[in-house]
Amino acid sequence: MARSPLTLAASVTSALPRVGVVGVGALTEGSTGRYDAAVADLDDGRRVVVRVPADASAAPELAAEARALRALTPGVRGLLPFRAPELLGEAGLGDSRVVVVDFLPGYRVDAAHLPAGRGAATSLGAALAALHALPHSIVKGEGLPARTPPQVRADVTRLIDRAVATRRLPVSLARRWHRAADSDDLWRFESAVVLGGAGAASFLFEDLDGVPTVTGLLEWHGLSIGDPATDLQWLASAPDAADDVYAAYVAGSGRAPDARTRERARLYAELEFAKWLVHGHDADRDDIVADAVELLESLATGVAGDDIVSDDALDVDDAIALLERTPGPVAPTVDTSMHTDAYDPEELAQWVAEEQSDTHDTPDPVPDVAPHPSDDVSTAPIALPVRSAAPFGSPATTDGDAGTDAAAEAERASEAALRRWRAE
């Protein structure tokens, strides 16, 4: 049973001695049920957010969030052009742990509604570039996870092999993913401080001089050293703004342009369905497996004849062109949300709808595919909001009403899948 805001407010005085709570309310969010959360007003004028895991499965994530926020010293925060929540205190609540942070004002913009041009898109790109430019010592000093490119590649290969071992993965996807994992070019990147799968909904915006600007970043539980592409894989859910976000990211990045960033991001997005399949198989949940298989078959149809690693990756001239790119005017006002603690299921469904193409052949049958040599160690988390396997910013294509119906059905299936996945 969900804890009431009053129950959560009472725990604030345990986490923050010598303060009083003068007001409390539910935290407005598109919650998936992983946390019980409330907003409390204190007698010293501060507004805080109190959060507790809804069940045991969410406890490690909240603990990782608290640990990451402790790593953000005042000096580190000064390097960022936006705010991060400040960890104010922790306390016990039954068998759970309560975490109290300061409240960050602002609104979120769904990736699908992110407009092109200067403003939200370019601010997002610059914010991600600033995050990825943080010194590695911030992560290493706190003992947070750190992965080198070979380790990231090994994690990906292991996940593919585990998906193959379920004997439910379409053979065309197994071959497609193995080709990507075997491509040396794809894995030549420089590790950076990452969030391990940030999405547009991780950021808070405020209108500064009439321009939507990133002023806050939530969801720090994935703070680590890894592949910057994990924080860019959501771009296909923002077809209008993807190019402007990436151009601003490249312009603000202090590292040499990575020719294969978008292709790895595309791979990570597709592998989210592999994680879903493996989870259902390991949990012996036939319903989850069925959802995953349906999504994987839709993906296999949508990417038929396509390869993740293209022959025309970004070269130096392309990078210079991106740096010189000037976004157009800000689009009209878009639908935004005051949600401050949730992941939007539409981001998962968006790319499925975009992937429906004129090809409606049945995916290849699933023969017994021998996996690559692997061990039994669980794949390290690749916490990725799912994105399209089509090129970033590419428009979706359909074949009349049949294509529209197929896209809608795929979207409904993917939303159901994510709801079950988050409920686990």
Side-chain angles (χ1 to χ4, degrees), residues 86-253:
E86 182 181 351
L87 181 64
L88 301 178
E90 300 177 74
L93 181 62
D95 295 332
S96 299
R97 194 73 177 166
V98 171
V99 171
V100 180
V101 300
D102 62 335
F103 177 83
L104 298 187
Y107 59 87
R108 292 185 176 188
V109 180
D110 293 337
H113 298 144
L114 194 66
R118 293 190 182 277
T122 52
S123 184
L124 261 176
L128 280 170
L131 173 73
H132 292 171
L134 290 175
H136 289 199
S137 58
I138 295 168
V139 170
K140 293 180 178 178
E142 285 294 322
L144 296 171
R147 295 183 181 85
T148 63
Q151 289 172 327
V152 172
R153 184 179 187 178
D155 289 342
V156 167
T157 300
R158 189 177 300 115
L159 175 59
I160 297 170
D161 290 342
R162 293 183 68 200
V164 170
T166 68
R167 307 169 76 93
R168 302 299 299 273
L169 179 68
V171 66
S172 61
L173 290 183
R175 290 170 177 165
R176 169 186 172 84
W177 294 343
H178 276 143
R179 284 194 299 271
D182 291 342
S183 171
D184 292 337
D185 283 347
L186 193 64
W187 305 103
R188 294 192 178 106
F189 66 88
E190 180 183 354
S191 295
V193 173
V194 298
L195 293 178
S202 300
F203 293 87
L204 292 175
F205 293 84
E206 291 184 90
D207 293 335
L208 304 182
D209 296 326
V211 179
T213 305
V214 172
T215 57
L217 172 60
L218 307 176
E219 302 175 11
W220 289 84
H221 59 270
L223 185 66
S224 59
I225 295 173
D227 185 355
T230 61
D231 290 339
L232 293 165
Q233 47 76 44
W234 58 272
L235 288 180
S237 298
D240 294 334
D243 287 340
D244 291 335
V245 173
Y246 192 67
Y249 173 77
V250 172
S253 178

Side-chain angles (χ1 to χ4, degrees), residues 313-372:
L314 182 73
D315 58 20
V316 175
D317 292 337
D318 294 328
I320 293 175
L322 265 180
L323 291 171
E324 296 175 346
R325 178 186 175 91
T326 302
V330 178
T333 302
V334 297
D335 180 24
T336 61
S337 169
M338 290 297 291
H339 295 175
T340 60
D341 190 36
Y343 172 82
D344 187 350
E346 291 186 1
E347 287 198 19
L348 176 63
Q350 176 72 25
W351 73 269
V352 176
E354 293 179 355
E355 281 297 346
Q356 301 302 315
S357 66
D358 293 334
T359 303
H360 297 289
D361 298 332
T362 301
D364 296 339
V366 188
D368 296 343
V369 179
H372 282 195

Side-chain angles (χ1 to χ4, degrees), residues 6-61:
L6 290 176
T7 300
L8 296 176
S11 67
V12 172
T13 56
S14 297
L16 304 177
R18 297 183 296 279
V19 301
V21 177
V22 297
V24 63
L27 182 64
T28 303
E29 59 183 31
S31 178
T32 54
R34 290 182 62 76
Y35 302 106
D36 298 328
V39 178
D41 294 314
L42 308 183
D43 56 6
D44 59 8
R46 289 180 295 174
R47 171 167 284 189
V48 301
V49 174
V50 54
R51 186 175 295 119
V52 62
D55 54 52
S57 66
E61 184 176 292

